[in-house]
Amino acid sequence: EAESAQTLIYDDADGIYGHPDHRGAHLVGTAAARLTGADSYRITVDRDHLDASVPGRHLVHGAADAAAVRYGRRAEEITLAVPGSPTHLADKYAAITAHASQVDPAWLPAEDFASAYGTEWYRHRGAPGLLHLLSATAVTAAAAGR
């Protein structure tokens, strides 16, 4: 409320792959959205996409197996998919592989990275909100070469 936030982005109830911190972020995000009336987008992954298009197994598969939980959501449960630009993908790759103690860069071949990480997926209720608007603007700008 102090920040006048109109939109909150936080993890889906399953924490994508059962990660306790992600599940905690979901609980806090849900409470904050309810208390403030802010629009909310819950981060997830498209299980159907990862299963069909990612060579071998994705890191999420191993993490979900280790936690004995399912991961992500089916495609029809996802309400917004936001594609990343080449710049976003390069930044994301650098950020993830910077944590070599958690993710060995060999597990994320650069040539396969875009198939798993090229899109951000969200679940949203209600009329399209701010993230829908921003993503449409970004897609339009990318198409125009900006």
Side-chain angles (χ1 to χ4, degrees):
E1 286 179 334
E3 299 298 326
S4 301
Q6 296 176 6
T7 301
L8 298 173
I9 299 172
Y10 52 91
D11 288 287
D12 193 28
D14 293 332
I16 299 176
Y17 53 88
H19 193 288
D21 291 347
H22 298 183
R23 287 181 169 192
H26 171 76
L27 294 174
V28 171
T30 299
R34 186 176 51 249
L35 289 170
T36 63
D39 193 27
S40 64
Y41 288 87
R42 291 157 327 276
I43 305 162
T44 190
V45 295
D46 183 333
R47 183 182 322 142
D48 299 329
H49 171 81
L50 290 181
D51 288 348
S53 66
V54 177
R57 290 184 47 87
H58 185 274
L59 294 173
V60 169
H61 293 117
D65 289 348
V69 298
R70 68 183 183 134
Y71 67 92
R73 298 289 177 163
R74 293 184 326 269
E76 62 267 13
E77 296 176 274
I78 294 170
T79 57
L80 179 65
V82 181
S85 70
T87 301
H88 293 129
L89 280 172
D91 291 347
K92 191 185 293 188
Y93 186 80
I96 292 173
T97 58
H99 300 283
S101 64
Q102 294 181 23
V103 178
D104 184 332
W107 297 344
L108 293 172
E111 62 275 7
D112 297 333
F113 191 76
S115 64
Y117 293 96
T119 303
E120 298 289 335
W121 294 282
Y122 302 92
R123 298 182 72 217
H124 176 267
R125 284 192 195 124
L130 182 62
L131 193 54
H132 282 85
L133 175 65
L134 292 174
S135 65
T137 301
V139 169
T140 301
R146 291 184 253 148

